[in-house]
Amino acid sequence: MVSERATSGLRNTRARARTVTVAYAGGEERRGPVTMGQANMIRCILRDEPALINIHDVWPAPAGTRLESAVDALRALAVRHEALRTTFPHPPGSAPREQVVAAAGTFTVTVLDHDELPAEPARYAEALAREARRDLFRLDRDFPLRASLVALGGAPVFVALAASHAVTDVSALAVLKEEWLALLSGEELPPLTAFTPLDLAAEEATPTGLRKSAASLGHWERIIRTGPQAMFAEPGAEGTEVRAPQLTLRSRRGARALALVAERTGGLPQTVLLTAWCALLAHRTGQNACVAAVPTSNRYEPRLARSVNTLSQDALLTLDVRVPSFDVLLGKAWGAALNAYRHSRFDAVSLWEMIGRTTFERGSVFARDIVFNDVSTLPTALPSTLPSDHDPSANGGAEANGPELEFGWGEEQVLPTRVLTFVHETDPLLRLGVWADPALFPREQAEGFLVGLVRLLEAAATGDVPLDALTEVTGVRPVERGPDWERVDGSWVSPPAVAEALSGALDGVPVHVQVTADPPRAEGSADGDAEAGLTAYIASGGAPLTPAGAHAAFMDALPGRPGLLAPRRYVIVQDAPAEADRSGAWLRQQILSEGTGRDRRM
């Protein structure tokens, strides 16, 4: 049964607004533990603002769609997919540990009927979806989709959706969109074969599932202990959150070149693009490795590929770029990516406990600087980040072949990362949505970086590209850090900045920091060579200070300052020498105490 009631408070007063209550029945009632992915996202939901953690999408309705059909298709999806009938009961102040699947229930759809749509209806629907994601989803009771039907004269044109990240991710929304369109076309959906959330939770609890989770933690720990603590450790990189505008690239040139590289090398287009992206970012940042989160890639198993669930757990990729050429790097990339995908299922609480322990011992803060989300192979391309005004989907099919190379700028978004990339399409257009920290990538440089990516693909289409020629080939130059920066323990660090930060954390006492060499590592480093480390000399002036106290104070000052790395050794003396800028003078001072500050004595 469908009931209606009036709604108010919507911004667009030209629309006749009403709320349709939709009842559904026919599912199976079930309950069980949450999945690791659900627990991971619920942790974020309880911590972050709704606009940052909810997700959204816009689905275009086929011409001739009736309102009743659009609503019936949404009802059918709710009956078909357990995730859409799932809530998470829990006592106030606690995190849910159980999920409950209802057999029947209701949800609402807002209908916005217009006599005339705005000039840019797709962008209007996008704005509605973005606004809807600002409101919190109540985990214990809310239907996880918040839908608005944008109609013209009673006929649906778009569905603007906000979705709870506790039960859906970008891939899940793509599956739902495809099935919604199929239902509206009169198709019969095939039987479900993908894992439900409860199926996945049961598998994760098996001995095999627990071993996979433990192996994932080991994979992450190796990278966090030995890789660069931040890809963008450089002047201008500050803070833990970035307000970045959206930049969209649409390029036939890029798509043609990508296809030719794949044909020449035998690589998959997605792997070729990932390799080029990593190579250029490592070149731009001056890093020996590209460390990136690749979230959607954890659907590599057939039973997960079409699962309507949230599998948003990062696959953490590390790709060593110290090789002579693009083709050699491409040969390594698939193995590195597969290794990341295999280690993308983990208990989030255990992961962050490990990250906290590991970064305290290393003296770093793990920065999720680069996120590469390739959704180009999902069932239906998502328009959540709308393309430029010339996109065929936005203007009725004009310029169907697309531009050779075109940029479009969109709204800003606050992100806990420096560069977020969505790959929406690779053929016949290369279409990317990119958010890059404007302090590191002003508009001209952000566009120049994407032009450089296309140029790299074009060069690799005709032959192998030496990686030491990337500046010449792409026009993208490595960052200039200045003489105060050094590579220390696999990371770029400014020792003078470390001394200044440590002094500030200790109420202004004199501090001198020097770079020293540790013995070669038996395990853990890429090449086994001796690694540079930092030693801090602290003039306490007789105040009670221990290496452990110094290290704890410095770690509190680290977040948002990726050019800092904690000293491996703290040496506390009474007073600073007269020549406070000379390491030799500090060495001649009487030592009051020394140690790593990690509860282990030297």
Side-chain angles (χ1 to χ4, degrees):
M1 177 179 294
V2 177
S3 64
E4 302 177 4
R5 64 179 178 82
T7 61
S8 62
L10 295 171
R11 292 184 178 182
N12 193 324
T13 57
R14 294 175 298 174
R16 293 179 295 277
R18 58 193 174 100
T19 296
V20 178
T21 300
V22 185
Y24 63 86
E28 180 184 355
E29 184 174 347
R30 302 174 70 196
R31 68 172 56 223
V34 298
T35 68
M36 293 179 182
Q38 288 172 330
N40 183 45
M41 293 316 305
I42 288 171
R43 176 181 175 275
C44 298
I45 289 169
L46 296 176
R47 180 194 65 197
D48 297 338
E49 292 296 319
L52 298 181
I53 195 62
N54 292 337
I55 58 178
H56 74 281
D57 196 12
V58 176
W59 300 350
T65 298
R66 296 184 304 111
L67 177 62
E68 292 79 6
S69 299
V71 171
D72 285 345
L74 291 173
R75 178 192 289 110
L77 294 179
V79 175
R80 177 176 171 84
H81 294 289
E82 289 189 357
L84 301 186
R85 296 182 276 113
T86 295
T87 53
F88 303 90
H90 60 285
S94 66
R97 304 183 63 168
E98 184 183 46
Q99 57 182 311
V100 175
V101 179
T106 62
F107 63 91
T108 60
V109 176
T110 299
V111 179
L112 301 173
D113 196 10
H114 302 71
D115 293 326
E116 182 180 354
L117 290 173
E120 296 180 314
R123 294 186 183 278
Y124 167 63
E126 171 82 3
L128 289 172
R130 285 186 178 276
E131 185 170 353
R133 69 185 279 176
R134 296 177 182 275
D135 294 331
L136 179 72
F137 282 94
R138 289 288 300 268
L139 293 170
D140 59 340
R141 69 186 187 196
D142 285 354
F143 188 73
L145 298 182
R146 193 173 289 140
S148 292
L149 274 169
V150 178
L152 177 62
V157 180
F158 292 103
V159 176
L161 288 171
S164 170
H165 220 332
V167 295
T168 59
D169 55 19
V170 170
S171 302
L173 287 184
V175 172
L176 292 173
K177 175 184 176 182
E178 183 189 55
E179 293 186 348
W180 186 74
L181 292 171
L183 288 169
L184 292 179
S185 299
E187 298 178 25
E188 184 176 345
L189 299 181
L192 289 174
T193 58
F195 267 178
T196 67
L198 286 173
D199 293 336
L200 181 57
E203 184 191 72
E204 289 173 345
T206 65
T208 299
L210 295 175
R211 284 194 297 271
K212 286 182 178 179
S213 177
S216 295
L217 295 185
H219 168 81
W220 278 68
E221 183 170 354
R222 285 189 294 275
I223 296 172
I224 291 171
R225 282 195 184 277
T226 62
Q229 66 158 345
M231 287 297 293
F232 291 98
E234 59 187 64
E238 297 179 357
T240 57
E241 292 186 343
V242 172
R243 178 175 289 277
Q246 176 201 341
L247 171 60
T248 300
L249 166 72
R250 299 174 66 244
S251 175
R252 284 197 298 167
R253 280 174 53 188
R256 285 195 303 266
L258 179 59
L260 288 172
V261 180
E263 181 180 356
R264 182 182 68 79
T265 62
L268 294 173
Q270 287 71 30
T271 308
V272 171
L273 184 59
L274 176 62
T275 303
W277 186 252
C278 281
L280 199 56
L281 271 173
H283 170 72
R284 157 60 182 79
T285 57
Q287 299 284 8
N288 289 334
C290 175
V291 176
V294 282
T296 35
S297 301
N298 53 18
R299 288 179 174 261
Y300 71 98
E301 292 185 27
R303 294 172 300 176
L304 300 177
R306 294 185 59 83
S307 176
V308 174
N309 189 5
T310 184
L311 301 178
S312 290
Q313 293 188 274
D314 285 344
L316 188 62
L317 169 76
T318 180
L319 181 60
D320 193 327
V321 299
R322 290 174 292 182
V323 296
S325 70
F326 182 87
D327 285 7
V328 178
L329 188 64
L330 177 60
K332 296 176 55 178
W334 172 241
L338 186 60
N339 195 36
Y341 306 160
R342 287 172 172 167
H343 295 102
S344 59
R345 195 185 301 176
F346 45 78
D347 177 79
V349 173
S350 297
L351 178 77
W352 283 103
E353 288 175 350
M354 179 277 293
I355 290 175
R357 180 183 69 253
T358 301
T359 51
F360 185 83
E361 292 173 359
R362 189 181 186 189
S364 65
V365 171
F366 170 63
R368 189 175 176 260
D369 272 353
I370 298 173
V371 179
F372 186 87
N373 215 359
D374 189 339
V375 297
S376 63
T377 59
L378 297 183
T380 308
L382 292 173
S384 299
T385 50
L386 288 177
S388 70
D389 294 337
H390 300 295
D391 189 288
S393 67
N395 63 19
E399 295 187 10
N401 292 325
E404 287 294 292
L405 194 149
E406 176 189 81
F407 294 114
W409 287 91
E411 295 184 10
E412 291 185 341
Q413 190 167 339
V414 177
L415 300 166
T417 187
R418 305 282 177 196
V419 176
L420 168 63
T421 304
F422 274 85
V423 182
H424 292 287
E425 189 177 359
T426 59
D427 181 60
L429 285 177
L430 177 61
R431 182 161 64 94
L432 308 179
V434 179
W435 291 258
D437 185 346
L440 307 176
F441 292 90
R443 288 202 172 199
E444 183 178 348
Q445 291 186 25
E447 292 182 359
F449 185 86
L450 294 183
V451 171
L453 178 70
V454 173
R455 288 175 176 168
L456 175 55
L457 292 172
E458 289 176 330
T462 59
D464 198 3
V465 178
L467 293 189
D468 60 8
L470 285 183
T471 299
E472 178 183 353
V473 169
T474 68
V476 176
R477 296 182 176 277
V479 64
E480 295 182 4
R481 289 186 170 86
D484 289 341
W485 290 77
E486 300 193 41
R487 198 187 300 275
V488 175
D489 190 20
S491 300
W492 281 105
V493 177
S494 171
V498 172
E500 180 181 0
L502 181 56
S503 175
L506 297 175
D507 298 324
V509 301
V511 173
H512 175 75
V513 173
Q514 74 173 82
V515 180
T516 57
D518 279 0
R521 295 180 181 179
E523 296 180 359
S525 67
D527 50 19
D529 292 339
E531 284 281 356
L534 299 177
T535 297
Y537 296 89
I538 307 169
S540 68
L545 180 63
T546 64
H551 185 65
F554 185 80
M555 292 300 295
D556 288 341
L558 268 187
R561 307 174 74 176
L564 305 183
L565 192 70
R568 290 188 182 174
R569 185 165 168 254
Y570 298 88
V571 179
I572 300 172
V573 301
Q574 174 74 26
D575 298 306
E579 297 177 294
D581 60 339
R582 294 183 178 274
S583 297
W586 284 88
L587 287 170
R588 291 191 292 271
Q589 298 298 101
Q590 182 180 0
I591 296 174
L592 301 180
S593 63
E594 61 180 313
T596 67
R598 282 80 159 172
D599 296 325
R600 297 195 305 269
R601 302 297 295 179
M602 294 292 292

